[in-house]
Amino acid sequence: VNPRARIARTDWTFPWFIGAALLVAVAGGFTLALLLPLAQLEGWDWGARWPALVQAHGHLQVVGWAGLFVAGMAFRLVPRFAAQPLRFAWLTPVVLALLLAGLMGRTIAQPWLNKPGMHALLIGSGLSESVAASLFALSIGATLARATRTLSVAPLFLLGCVGLLGQALLGVAWLSRLTPSLPVISDQRDEVLLGLQFYGFLLPFVLGVSLRALPAFFKHRAPGSFELWGLAGLLAAGSTIGVGSLLLGNGSMAMRARDIAAVLTASAMLGAFFETGVWKPPLGLRPSARPAALLIRTAYLWLLVASVLLASGGVAGVIDGLAMPPYLDDAIRHILALGVFSTSIAAMAQLLLPLLAQRRLQRRAAQREIWILWALFTLATTLRMLGALLQAGSAAADSFGFIALSGLVGMSGVLYLASTMVAAIRRPPAEILLQEIRRP
Ligand code: HEM
């Protein structure tokens, strides 16, 4: 078989990963994003179910919305970047099914842990995700193994695989200890788990794709393997120190360790920003694709904001030996989640999905779509950030109003993104061709 054909093979599960990400976002993660602040505003008494549903929301969004998109894209892009056929390609539908089963089990079992059979379902969901993460890491890792010398972003992808697996294994270990009266992972463990998910899994994958593609789009010097190993090393060190801090108990030593991890992570984020060239004109993109630069630049501006907040919180914490305040953690997390990850997903969808690529023929429609996506995701990020930061001051009572509004706008963004994709799939190629011919 021609190796080129094997590398570029179309994986039939790809649209299923993207569709599943959108479905989990709409039916799960963003629905909870709306219900959780509403419950606070309206005074609905959910008891211990509220914090359990917060953790379910976080997991649905991180592993479902962003994670399924990342996994689908990784299966598609890593072989092309590495110029190697995907190893164990038959595993892709297994990974998808196990991830979905894990997400569903977790969302049902954790908030309803007082019902019969739910403890077993919770453990089963964690195991399902752990097996999925192992198989994903096996397939992507084996594909990359032959390309570590030629593909300079390989260390970021390898770190992402380790991060996904690490968080799944720690997750199942900690979920198995939950009880009906306390159905939430403790704050300290949860913070470590979320650190691993954001800075050890999602960020490395997003940066890996970005640092491979953006320097070409913006005609910037491509980062060398020294810089990329350095970035991956900083992120890996941050994650390792974060996990290691659990061995230090919960005194000021442990907090200082986590603050140092935050500073290392922030410096990697800052370094990555300067390797992209997003401030230059996007001359490497075809003129018809250039409007998408707005989404890319916005995502990287949010990365800059998140890295400054993370660095300042980390440095302040190292100096006074305190933990990062929860409202700041929450703000940084959602700036990344909505401003960087969700906005990048919208940009990727506009640039890379082959079905949508056909849409670019109708230039004005594509431009309008990008403006709407930009407005919705930017507004959702801003409102969510304000909602988090307000918790620090005297206006805490207003914060859930901002957060609920952000949930509504975020949900509209995801629904709109899904609708642009469905429209692109539905539009018959002949129609596109006719429009092209009719153009003066
Ligand atoms: C507009 C959309 C969103 C809204 C309104 C929203 C709202 C919330 C709320 C109310 C909380 C609980 C905060 C608290 O403990 O007081 C939360 C936590 C969280 N959210 Fe979101 N969220 C949104 C989008 C996202 C996205 C896209 C992601 C990830 C990709 C995400 C990840 C998380 C995580 C990881 C947590 C912490 C979970 C934990 O404590 O274990 N959120 N969110």
Side-chain angles (χ1 to χ4, degrees), residues 325-406:
Y327 72 86
L328 189 59
D329 254 338
D330 185 48
I332 295 168
R333 236 172 250 148
H334 285 91
I335 291 172
L336 288 170
L338 293 160
V340 181
F341 302 148
S342 301
T343 307
S344 297
I345 288 178
M348 288 275 274
Q350 296 292 324
L351 283 171
L352 290 175
L353 295 178
L355 291 163
L356 289 184
Q358 301 176 341
R359 293 245 23 208
R360 291 208 218 96
L361 294 175
Q362 304 146 296
R363 178 100 70 96
R364 219 167 303 145
Q367 225 152 1
R368 194 181 54 227
E369 275 174 19
I370 285 171
W371 273 106
I372 296 175
L373 287 169
W374 176 85
L376 291 172
F377 282 116
T378 304
L379 184 61
T381 314
T382 309
L383 288 168
R384 186 63 185 81
M385 177 182 73
L386 290 176
L389 296 178
L390 277 178
Q391 303 239 337
S394 53
D398 298 331
S399 68
F400 283 108
F402 280 85
I403 297 177
L405 202 57
S406 158

Side-chain angles (χ1 to χ4, degrees), residues 82-133:
Q84 296 287 334
L86 182 67
R87 301 291 312 277
F88 309 105
W90 54 273
L91 284 175
T92 59
V94 183
V95 170
L96 176 61
L98 289 173
L99 282 177
L100 280 176
L103 286 167
M104 272 200 299
R106 165 91 186 256
T107 310
I108 297 168
Q110 191 179 352
W112 283 272
L113 206 54
N114 54 349
K115 304 275 185 260
M118 288 298 152
H119 198 257
L121 182 62
L122 189 63
I123 296 175
S125 76
L127 289 175
S128 180
E129 188 178 304
S130 301
V131 176

Side-chain angles (χ1 to χ4, degrees), residues 17 21 60-72 99 201-202 345:
F17 271 94
L60 282 167
Q61 296 285 50
V62 167
V63 176
W65 163 231
L68 285 169
F69 196 93
V70 159
L99 282 177
F201 163 48
L202 293 178
I345 288 178

